[in-house]
C-alpha cells in the first residue's frame, strides 16, 4: 500500500511541474520570446495543453474573471499541495 501512495505522490509532484511548464510556456508565447508557429513549440504546447486543460477548465468556470489573469493553475497547485499533505500526514503513517 505504501508503494501505491508513493506513486500517487510522485505523480502529483510531476503534475505540478507540468502546470509550471504550462504557465512559463504561456508567458513565453505571450511576450513573443518563442514562436508559436514553430513545429516543436506547437507540439510541446499541445501536449501540455492536453495534459492540463481537462483539470483546469472546471476551475476556470468556478473562478471569477480577472481580465487577462488566469489563477486556475495556482488554485490547482494549492489543491495538489493540500492532497499531498493529507496523504503524508493522515494516510501514510497508518499504512502498514
Amino acid at each position: 500500500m505504501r508503494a501505491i501512495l508513493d506513486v500517487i505522490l510522485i505523480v502529483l509532484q510531476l503534475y505540478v511541474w507540468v502546470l509550471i511548464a504550462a504557465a512559463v510556456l504561456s508567458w513565453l508565447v505571450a511576450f513573443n520570446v518563442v514562436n508559436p508557429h514553430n513545429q516543436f513549440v506547437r507540439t510541446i504546447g499541445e501536449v501540455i495543453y492536453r495534459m492540463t486543460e481537462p483539470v483546469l477548465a472546471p476551475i476556470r468556470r468556478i473562478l471569477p474573471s480577472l481580465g487577462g489573469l488566469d489563477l486556475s493553475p495556482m488554485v490547482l497547485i494549492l489543491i495538489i499541495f493540500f492532497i499531498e499533505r493529507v496523504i503524508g500526514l493522515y494516510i501514510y503513517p497508518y499504512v502498514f
Side-chain angles (χ1 to χ4, degrees):
M1 187 66 176
R2 283 186 186 233
I4 294 172
L5 290 175
D6 287 337
V7 169
I8 291 171
L9 290 172
I10 290 170
V11 168
L12 289 173
Q13 277 297 312
L14 288 174
Y15 199 74
V16 167
W17 285 107
V18 170
L19 288 169
I20 292 170
V24 169
L25 183 64
S26 71
W27 293 338
L28 292 175
V29 169
F31 293 119
N32 285 331
V33 175
V34 294
N35 184 4
H37 301 293
N38 183 342
Q39 183 64 33
F40 180 73
V41 174
R42 189 176 336 149
T43 303
I44 297 294
E46 184 69 25
V47 168
I48 290 175
Y49 178 81
R50 288 179 186 231
M51 290 175 69
T52 58
E53 192 58 27
V55 183
L56 291 175
I59 296 173
R60 284 190 187 117
R61 282 193 299 255
I62 294 171
L63 289 177
S65 177
L66 297 173
L69 188 61
D70 183 19
L71 295 178
S72 58
M74 183 60 68
V75 171
L76 183 58
I77 289 173
L78 291 174
I79 291 170
I80 290 172
F81 285 164
F82 176 74
I83 292 169
E84 287 175 345
R85 181 68 70 153
V86 167
I87 289 172
L89 292 178
Y90 298 112
I91 299 172
Y92 199 78
Y94 299 109
V95 177
F96 301 120

